Amino acid sequence: MEVGLWLLALCALLLPALWLLSFLRTDTDLTLLWAAWLGRRPEQVLTGMVVWVTGASSGIGEELAFQLSKLGVSLVLSARRTQELERVKRRCLENGNMKERDILVLPLDLADTSSHDTATKAVLQEFGRIDILVNNSGIAHYSFAVDTNLDVFKLITDVNYLGTVSLTKCVLPHMMERNRGKIVIINSIAGIIPVPLCSAYSGSKHALRGFLNTLHTELYDYPGITVSTICPGPVHSNIYQNCFLGEVTKVLGKQARDIPKMSTSRCVWLILVSMANDLKEVWIADQPVLFAIYLGQYMPFLDWIISKKTWGKIINQYIMDWHNYLENSCHKRPSK
Ligand SMILES: NC(=O)c1ccc[n+]([C@@H]2O[C@H](COP(=O)([O-])OP(=O)(O)OC[C@H]3O[C@@H](n4cnc5c(N)ncnc54)[C@H](OP(=O)(O)O)[C@@H]3O)[C@@H](O)[C@H]2O)c1
């Protein structure tokens, strides 16, 4: 009897210890880590659902479409570039789990909010319901706030924040009618902690986090509707080369610095686990970025550790890389 008790106590200690140990090597927050270990598998929950993915023409959205297509869902693919959406559709059909009629290519400009209601009706007409809306479309910039044209702030706010809010508002009444559905927003670590050279982007993502958290409270008597804020760190995609350089007419292009990034497929698999387990907010990033989020969120008084070591490094790299550009086109950073 005593041995049994000792064994039980040992197990009770060992399990959390193993869990914490794997956190030191992991790329997710503790809740998602737990769900990835013991939670529901995406194929158990998502198969058969109607999923609308925005920003499906590239990067995370394209990979989401691809992985979802393997689970056997009905897919709506949206973004501005129809040709790219058709390419993603063909890629999804190649794995053989879906038929042509299971995928709807629906071109959509998030900044054109007047088109969102018609788009929503088109999805409902095609599939009869929307089970999951994945608000994934997003754009970014790479420039000091002081050098960033207000047009960049406006466009990023229109697409990342207002576009997402508008589409969510179009889909919500339908979900409320059924008391069923998932609203997912692909946010960013820049929606939790500040990231230098991304003031407009970070502002839009912070706003999205506030919007979804508040929406969650307003849906308290709709238990069938869940919301998820997904916050990835750096992930392989085209967002870096599409970054605006202070003006909407200038983008970073191929000169984008090759920083360490998580693979798109790993990030997307973790997103699917989060969706399957209805996790309200998740953080997905390799170490030490994940550690920095914990520090920023729970011990903000220690932010000087991040500021001095990380932000200083990023800013200095930026100044080195773009010295000529700053000299020629932008307002110079005032010297101290
Ligand atoms: N990659 C990262 O490191 C990272 C990290 C954290 C969060 N995220 C977030 O992940 C999401 C996906 O980005 P990504 O990294 O996969 O970048 P990406 O490869 O550049 O994809 C961005 C997607 O957004 C679409 N888009 C851009 N403007 C749009 C508009 N006005 N209307 C509709 N769609 C529009 C693009 O399609 P069209 O050009 O065809 O419209 C594209 O499909 C974004 O919300 C981003 O903030 C990315």
Side-chain angles (χ1 to χ4, degrees):
M1 177 66 185
E2 229 172 69
V3 178
L5 273 178
W6 273 110
L7 272 176
L8 207 69
L10 197 69
C11 282
L13 281 174
L14 218 61
L15 207 63
L18 268 175
W19 187 45
L20 275 177
L21 209 68
S22 56
F23 169 71
L24 296 176
R25 303 179 51 221
T26 192
D27 48 11
T28 70
D29 67 89
L30 292 170
T31 328
L32 177 51
L33 181 65
W34 194 253
W37 265 24
L38 299 172
R40 292 176 291 181
R41 307 277 95 191
E43 59 274 19
Q44 291 175 316
V45 182
L46 306 177
T47 301
M49 290 197 169
V50 177
V51 190
W52 188 358
V53 182
T54 68
S57 62
S58 130
I60 296 174
E62 172 175 352
E63 182 63 25
L64 257 171
F66 182 62
Q67 293 198 23
L68 280 166
S69 71
K70 290 187 189 166
L71 302 182
V73 298
S74 297
L75 266 180
V76 184
L77 307 179
S78 286
R80 289 164 305 171
R81 292 168 299 162
T82 314
Q83 254 189 337
E84 286 304 301
L85 292 173
E86 291 291 349
R87 178 186 60 76
V88 175
K89 177 178 175 175
R90 284 194 299 278
R91 198 181 153 210
C92 291
L93 288 173
E94 269 164 22
N95 69 46
N97 270 2
M98 300 180 90
K99 298 202 169 58
E100 182 90 25
R101 63 166 187 271
D102 296 328
I103 306 182
L104 173 67
V105 164
L106 187 65
L108 181 88
D109 184 348
L110 268 195
D112 176 15
T113 51
S114 65
S115 66
H116 295 181
D117 195 38
T118 313
T120 307
K121 285 185 180 134
V123 178
L124 291 174
Q125 196 171 3
E126 184 77 15
F127 294 120
R129 61 181 208 278
I130 299 165
D131 294 310
I132 309 179
L133 171 66
V134 186
N135 289 296
N136 166 72
S137 283
I139 49 174
H141 72 109
Y142 183 56
S143 46
F144 287 119
V146 68
D147 296 326
T148 305
N149 200 310
L150 204 58
D151 288 349
V152 173
F153 280 88
K154 278 189 183 139
L155 185 57
I156 290 181
T157 307
D158 281 350
V159 175
N160 293 7
Y161 180 62
L162 290 177
T164 301
V165 169
S166 162
L167 198 61
T168 303
K169 271 168 56 60
C170 288
V171 171
L172 256 181
H174 158 73
M175 289 186 173
M176 289 167 87
E177 215 173 277
R178 297 172 66 220
N179 185 21
R180 208 167 156 198
K182 298 178 195 292
I183 303 280
V184 180
I185 292 185
I186 309 300
N187 202 300
S188 165
I189 60 161
I192 306 168
I193 55 173
V195 178
L197 306 162
C198 298
S199 53
Y201 178 74
S202 190
S204 70
K205 295 292 188 180
H206 272 72
L208 273 181
R209 191 177 183 223
F211 166 72
L212 205 63
N213 281 340
T214 308
L215 179 64
H216 178 67
T217 63
E218 292 175 5
L219 291 171
Y220 76 95
D221 54 352
Y222 291 89
I225 305 177
T226 60
V227 303
S228 293
T229 293
I230 312 280
C231 302
V235 178
H236 280 282
S237 81
N238 291 321
I239 201 161
Y240 297 91
Q241 52 198 62
N242 291 336
C243 271
F244 299 121
L245 281 173
E247 293 170 34
V248 288
T249 49
K250 290 195 173 92
V251 291
L252 192 51
K254 291 207 180 342
Q255 298 163 95
R257 179 172 275 273
D258 199 15
I259 55 165
K261 299 182 197 98
M262 176 184 275
S263 79
T264 326
S265 59
R266 169 73 181 161
C267 174
V268 164
W269 186 77
L270 290 168
I271 293 174
L272 295 184
V273 172
S274 316
M275 280 159 59
N277 289 280
D278 291 326
L279 302 184
K280 190 170 156 268
E281 178 169 310
V282 298
W283 304 343
I284 300 172
D286 287 320
Q287 298 289 14
V289 179
L290 186 65
F291 178 68
I293 312 175
Y294 270 93
L295 206 63
Q297 176 80 7
Y298 296 114
M299 285 176 263
F301 54 94
L302 289 178
D303 74 342
W304 58 270
I305 297 179
I306 310 177
S307 310
K308 283 245 153 62
K309 295 252 182 278
T310 313
W311 299 160
K313 206 169 138 198
I314 294 175
I315 287 174
N316 285 332
Q317 276 171 357
Y318 172 82
I319 291 176
M320 274 187 334
D321 281 0
W322 297 101
H323 183 72
N324 287 337
Y325 173 79
L326 287 171
E327 284 272 293
N328 300 332
S329 334
C330 279
H331 180 87
K332 277 190 214 152
R333 193 165 167 75
S335 50
K336 282 185 213 153

